[in-house]
């Protein structure tokens, strides 16, 4: 029987976004990408960063070496098979922590390793002793542990601990566990454990997080995770869900600064090119978005009516989405966010329009909502833009940092600036923001393809706000065939509206 008192006061987080996460189909990271993510993970408070699998390539070795030499707050480890050359590669990277593994399930030993259990055990012992003789901290994994015969798993754990392993990780390599099965397994294993037990759960049945939490309840004190649930096949346990789950269900803290989760999620998504699904728990666009009129009404009175926890806890933002289930409260609140004050009559008309459009299958975004309200009050006459783009160029390619230069005319004066970015769009938007008098934050950037093919038309909408001060937001939208130019146009439209609104507020 596990009592709440036996829960560990703190759980260690080993993040493997840069190793298992990079095994996500379609994801490949450059050395620079890995460094950016490693720095963000360290700043987030991850205890151990699994930076890569050094033996796999020269490039991988260089990246792990760079990360090991960054002097991060997190410890940095590298993955190694139970082979001397793998452990040597980790040592050559300057690592002082290795994660060594060998498969122990009958199916893996027979078909993959073609080794007998005794040979596997001997190899594991030899490798742990070898790594220890190099002064390394050794975390050891029996790959496919959860499908390994229980008696052999215990034998392996005892043997590698005697050989000097400092921590043992139990991978659910194929994601076949359920929470009750994980509880049973961890309870069986704990009596042979003299060092901390870690878990590494895959999400093939959508239970990686639940299994990790169940294992912690029974004695595991470290969890392997990936940001945004990246990882081989269906992914690994998501960092953000494990950290919040530990807090919400058991009150267990980690060293993670939860307020930085939203930022790190977005960074990893941008750098890996792997989109976070809108309905993803904790970090999805919809995680704190409310559409139904009833929900919005309740939420505006007290957010806890329809939120399990507050978005601020994880550095996310609450939003109201208008659609088929929208009510007047949502529309009024939404328009106020963009500084549009209209009476109840106009609000009701906007609601009616939004519902009609939604019923015909059309989603109304923020830019269209604002335009609709302006149209209904007769304020949609196009005024000339006060901010004009005079010059713009962006340099991008392979082995070059995307760089943009821009000249904007504002109030009759031309201001020039240049900035770098992760890609050409990022560089362009950074350059535009760099020439503004005020600090402007990019709240949202949405890109959609309107037509197919490489000459497709795209639609970009951009939402921005002044940093601090006034809470008024602004949106700009543009359609075109060039993603960079269209993004620039939408951004300038949003900025133009933001300054127009600022001027209006100053007059009032
Ligand atoms: O899922 C797994 O078994 C792994 C091991 C290398 C630990 O990623
Ligand atoms: Zn894995």
């Amino acid at each position: 029987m596990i009592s709440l008192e036996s829960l560990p006061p703190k759980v260690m987080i080993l993040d493997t976004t840069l190793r298992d996460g990079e095994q996500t189909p379609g994801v490949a990271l450059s050395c620079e990408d890995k460094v950016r993510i490693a720095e963000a993970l360290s700043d987030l408070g991850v205890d151990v960063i699994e930076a890569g699998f050094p033996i796999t390539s020269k490039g991988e070795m260089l990246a792990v070496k760079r990360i090991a030499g960054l002097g991060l707050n997190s410890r940095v480890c590298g993955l190694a098979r139970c082979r001397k050359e793998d452990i040597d590669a980790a040592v050559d990277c300057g690592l002082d922590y290795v994660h060594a593994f060998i498969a122990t399930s009958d199916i893996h030993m027979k078909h993959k390793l073609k080794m007998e259990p005794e040979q596997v055990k001997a190899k594991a012992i030899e490798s742990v002793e070898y790594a220890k003789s190099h002064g390394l901290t050794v975390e050891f994994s029996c790959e496919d542990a959860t499908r390994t015969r229980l008696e052999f798993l215990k034998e392996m754990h005892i043997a590698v601990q005697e050989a000097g392993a400092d921590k043992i990780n139990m991978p659910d390599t194929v994601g076949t566990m359920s929470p009750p099965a994980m509880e049973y397994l961890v309870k069986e294993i704990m009596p042979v454990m003299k060092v901390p037990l870690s878990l590494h759960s895959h999400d093939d049945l959508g239970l990686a997080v639940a299994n990790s939490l169940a294992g912690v309840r029974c004695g595991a004190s470290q969890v392997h995770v990936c940001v945004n649930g990246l990882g081989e096949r269906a992914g690994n346990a998501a960092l953000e869900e494990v950290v919040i789950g530990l807090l919400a269900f058991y009150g267990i803290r980690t060293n993670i600064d939860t307020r930085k989760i939203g930022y790190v999620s977005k960074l990893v998504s941008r750098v890996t090119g792997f989109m976070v699904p809108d309905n993803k728990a904790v970090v999805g666009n919809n995680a704190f978005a409310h559409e139904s009129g009833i929900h919005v009404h309740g939420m505006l009175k007290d957010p806890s009516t329809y939120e399990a926890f507050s978005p601020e806890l994880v550095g996310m933002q609450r939003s109201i989405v208008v659609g088929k289930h929208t009510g007047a409260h949502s529309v009024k609140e939404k328009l106020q966010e963009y500084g549009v004050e209209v009476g109840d009559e106009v609000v009701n008309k906007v609601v009616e329009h939004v519902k009609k459009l939604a019923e015909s299958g059309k989603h109304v975004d923020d830019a269209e909502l604002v335009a609709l309200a302006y149209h209904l009050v007769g304020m949609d006459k196009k005024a000339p833009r006060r901010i004009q783009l005079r010059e713009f160029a962006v340099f991008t390619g392979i082995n070059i940092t995307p760089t943009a230069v821009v000249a904007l005319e504002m109030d009759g004066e031309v201001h020039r600036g240049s900035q770098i970015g992760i890609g050409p769009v990022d560089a362009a938007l950074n350059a535009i923001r760099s020439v503004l008098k005020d600090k402007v934050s990019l709240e949202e950037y949405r890109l959609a393809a309107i037509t197919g093919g490489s000459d497709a038309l795209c639609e970009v909408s951009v939402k921005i706000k002044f940093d601090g001060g006034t809470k008024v937001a602004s949106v700009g939208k543009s359609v075109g065939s060039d993603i960079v130019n269209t993004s620039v146009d939408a951004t300038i439209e949003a900025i133009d509206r933001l300054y127009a609104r600022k001027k209006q507020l100053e007059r009032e």
Side-chain angles (χ1 to χ4, degrees):
M1 203 4 214
I2 301 289
S3 70
L4 277 180
E5 291 81 64
S6 68
L7 287 169
K10 232 180 197 177
V11 163
M12 306 262 286
I13 296 294
L14 181 148
D15 181 280
T16 181
T17 304
L18 296 178
R19 200 277 299 168
D20 218 323
E22 205 196 4
Q23 290 170 221
T24 306
V27 170
L29 301 169
S30 68
C31 181
E32 292 308 317
D33 293 340
K34 284 199 161 208
V35 166
R36 276 192 79 142
I37 293 179
E39 284 171 339
L41 291 173
S42 175
D43 192 44
L44 180 67
V46 159
D47 298 287
V48 185
I49 296 173
E50 187 165 58
F53 193 172
I55 195 74
T56 53
S57 72
K58 275 220 168 84
E60 182 79 345
M61 268 195 85
L62 280 176
V64 176
K65 204 172 186 165
R66 274 274 304 275
I67 295 169
L70 288 173
L72 300 176
N73 289 329
S74 312
R75 292 201 68 185
V76 180
C77 85
L79 186 67
R81 291 167 300 180
C82 284
R83 293 187 184 189
K84 279 203 166 112
E85 61 269 31
D86 284 32
I87 295 163
D88 289 343
V91 173
D92 291 347
C93 289
L95 292 170
D96 62 1
Y97 188 143
V98 71
H99 173 201
F101 75 100
I102 193 162
T104 51
S105 63
D106 286 345
I107 187 166
H108 275 236
M109 289 191 291
K110 183 168 172 215
H111 297 292
K112 189 178 81 174
L113 298 178
K114 302 191 193 317
M115 284 164 78
E116 293 299 323
E118 280 312 310
Q119 292 173 297
V120 168
K121 190 163 90 183
K123 201 93 195 110
I125 294 170
E126 181 191 303
S127 304
V128 173
E129 284 174 347
Y130 184 69
K132 288 307 295 178
S133 75
H134 282 81
L136 301 177
T137 295
V138 180
E139 178 161 341
F140 187 85
S141 283
C142 288
E143 191 191 11
D144 209 13
T146 55
R147 296 193 301 175
T148 296
R149 280 180 295 106
L150 187 54
E151 280 318 304
F152 185 51
L153 187 64
K154 287 183 186 170
E155 214 180 301
M156 284 290 297
H157 283 193
I158 293 168
V160 294
Q161 287 180 92
E162 282 170 0
D166 300 283
K167 207 184 271 177
I168 292 187
N169 177 54
M170 224 167 40
D172 182 21
T173 302
V174 193
T176 51
M177 292 296 266
S178 66
M182 186 60 93
E183 288 191 1
Y184 172 81
L185 179 60
V186 174
K187 279 185 205 165
E188 281 288 330
I189 288 295
M190 280 313 284
V192 306
M193 294 301 300
K194 293 194 170 60
V195 299
L197 179 70
S198 167
L199 299 172
H200 175 109
S201 299
H202 277 274
D203 207 30
D204 298 68
L205 289 161
L207 292 172
V209 172
N211 292 339
S212 305
L213 297 180
V216 167
R217 219 176 79 79
C218 298
S221 53
Q222 179 180 273
V223 183
H224 282 204
V225 294
C226 284
V227 175
N228 298 338
L230 289 175
E232 188 81 50
R233 303 183 310 284
N236 288 68
L239 178 148
E240 56 280 5
E241 295 176 31
V242 168
V243 169
I244 298 304
L246 287 169
L247 198 59
F249 296 119
Y250 311 142
I252 296 182
R253 299 203 167 272
T254 58
N255 287 321
I256 300 294
D257 180 349
T258 59
R259 292 161 309 168
K260 294 181 177 163
I261 284 178
Y263 166 75
V264 174
S265 159
K266 287 184 183 70
L267 175 81
V268 168
S269 174
R270 265 206 322 264
V271 175
T272 58
F274 198 86
M275 298 286 286
V276 176
D278 282 347
N279 65 347
K280 164 84 179 61
V282 185
V283 291
N285 277 329
N286 291 353
F288 301 96
H290 305 272
E291 179 183 315
S292 138
I294 297 170
H295 285 211
V296 172
H297 185 53
M299 189 276 296
L300 289 173
K301 292 246 150 46
D302 180 345
S304 63
T305 49
Y306 287 103
E307 283 172 1
F309 55 94
S310 117
E312 290 82 31
L313 177 70
V314 289
M316 295 285 289
Q317 279 170 344
R318 180 174 296 125
S319 66
I320 295 171
V321 177
V322 295
K324 190 171 164 188
H325 308 101
T326 282
H329 284 103
S330 311
V331 168
K332 197 164 189 163
E333 181 75 17
K334 194 93 224 171
L335 290 174
Q336 271 170 359
E337 191 187 343
Y338 293 105
V340 183
E341 301 282 350
V342 285
D344 288 349
E345 205 183 316
V346 175
V347 168
N348 290 335
K349 275 194 184 148
V350 174
V351 173
E352 215 178 288
H353 267 73
V354 168
K355 284 186 185 255
K356 250 196 214 136
L357 285 167
E359 273 157 17
S360 63
K362 171 96 179 68
H363 168 73
V364 177
D365 66 21
D366 289 7
E368 287 159 340
L369 187 81
V370 171
L372 189 57
Y374 277 162
H375 175 70
L376 288 170
V377 292
M379 283 168 58
D380 56 345
K381 321 275 175 293
K382 274 247 178 227
R385 278 189 190 170
R386 295 170 57 251
I387 299 179
Q388 298 285 346
L389 181 70
R390 290 293 171 229
E391 293 163 19
F392 171 68
V394 64
F395 308 96
T396 190
I398 295 167
N399 294 333
I400 174 173
T401 306
T403 309
V405 289
V406 70
L408 288 188
E409 186 177 328
M410 294 178 279
D411 298 323
E413 264 181 59
V414 176
H415 302 261
R416 288 190 165 75
S418 67
Q419 277 296 315
I420 57 166
I422 291 179
V425 171
D426 191 43
L429 271 49
N430 289 344
I432 292 171
R433 287 188 295 152
S434 77
V435 298
L436 302 175
K437 294 197 289 289
D438 307 271
K439 268 198 160 232
V440 166
S441 61
L442 179 65
E443 301 284 309
E444 216 172 270
Y445 170 87
R446 284 179 188 268
L447 167 71
I450 299 180
T451 53
S454 57
D455 58 350
L457 274 183
C458 68
E459 180 185 270
V460 175
S461 63
V462 170
K463 176 175 172 180
I464 54 167
K465 264 184 186 169
F466 286 121
D467 266 1
T470 165
K471 281 196 165 128
V472 176
S474 168
V475 273
K477 190 168 180 172
S478 184
V479 173
S481 55
D482 180 298
I483 293 176
V484 181
N485 291 346
T486 310
S487 303
V488 166
D489 193 49
T491 306
I492 291 180
E493 181 175 84
I495 291 170
D496 192 62
R497 285 186 175 156
L498 193 64
Y499 275 101
R501 180 67 192 145
K502 189 182 177 203
K503 274 249 148 75
Q504 189 188 343
L505 283 174
E506 282 165 2
R507 281 197 303 270
E508 281 169 13

